[in-house]
Amino acid sequence: MDDAVYMRQAISQAGNAWALGEVPVGAVVVKDGEVIATGFNQPIGTHDPTAHAEIMALRAAAEILGNYRLPGCALYVTLEPCAMCSGAMMHARLARVVYGAPDPKTGACGSVVDLFAQDRLNHHTTVQGGVLAAECGTLLKDFFAERRRRAMRSGTVPSEPGAA
């Protein structure tokens, strides 16, 4: 299993989010060495606060497999998952979560909290962070730098993601 190969596919999905003015986060779900579903951030365009890349990929994978449980699946995502996404991953019974860049503001795999380390929860998913972290982090930094440049040129200050 080559984590970098799948993470590059997640990075490609993040590009879809960027193209729509969404924060560029992408995800892929892999089962038995095959990508079965993809997702990218869409909360702004869909007016859905739950439309994070991970949730979109989990929904697609569940639909494809015909089951809300995804045992034996791994999810690759470019940014450390938040608490909402981490909870969904545990409910889906993912075997493994692999993320790229850490999220020091909302990361729920150890940066702020570590939901996956809670022994009292009934499902335990293996977590691997830092896969292509520099590339994933650069993608986000470049996105926000571009937004700031556009805002400066237009004389506006973006108040939330996608505002500029």
Side-chain angles (χ1 to χ4, degrees):
M1 170 176 30
D2 189 357
D3 290 342
V5 169
Y6 299 123
M7 189 60 71
R8 288 193 199 292
Q9 292 180 50
I11 290 169
S12 176
Q13 289 298 310
N16 294 332
W18 186 328
L20 295 175
E22 303 273 0
V23 175
V25 178
V28 298
V29 176
V30 176
K31 183 172 178 70
D32 299 326
E34 180 182 339
V35 174
I36 61 167
T38 62
F40 56 89
N41 263 5
Q42 300 177 61
I44 298 164
T46 61
H47 309 290
D48 179 356
T50 70
H52 289 193
E54 302 95 309
I55 300 297
M56 302 306 282
L58 288 172
R59 286 175 181 161
E63 184 70 27
I64 288 165
L65 294 178
N67 191 347
Y68 75 105
R69 301 282 195 211
L70 303 174
C73 291
L75 186 141
Y76 291 78
V77 61
T78 57
L79 181 65
E80 180 181 358
C82 69
M84 174 186 70
C85 292
S86 295
M89 291 172 201
M90 285 186 267
H91 284 290
R93 304 296 195 259
L94 288 178
R96 189 165 181 245
V97 172
V98 181
Y99 69 88
D103 185 345
K105 293 184 179 182
T106 64
C109 298
S111 288
V112 176
V113 297
D114 191 348
L115 293 181
F116 293 98
Q118 297 299 313
D119 290 336
R120 294 178 289 174
L121 295 175
N122 66 336
H123 178 73
H124 301 284
T125 299
T126 302
V127 177
Q128 171 70 46
V131 174
L132 300 181
E135 288 180 47
C136 294
T138 297
L139 182 67
L140 289 160
K141 288 175 186 152
D142 290 351
F143 172 79
F144 287 110
E146 179 184 289
R147 280 196 19 187
R148 285 189 297 276
R149 283 191 301 273
R150 280 197 331 248
M152 295 287 280
R153 282 193 302 266
S154 68
T156 62
V157 177
S159 59
E160 62 182 352

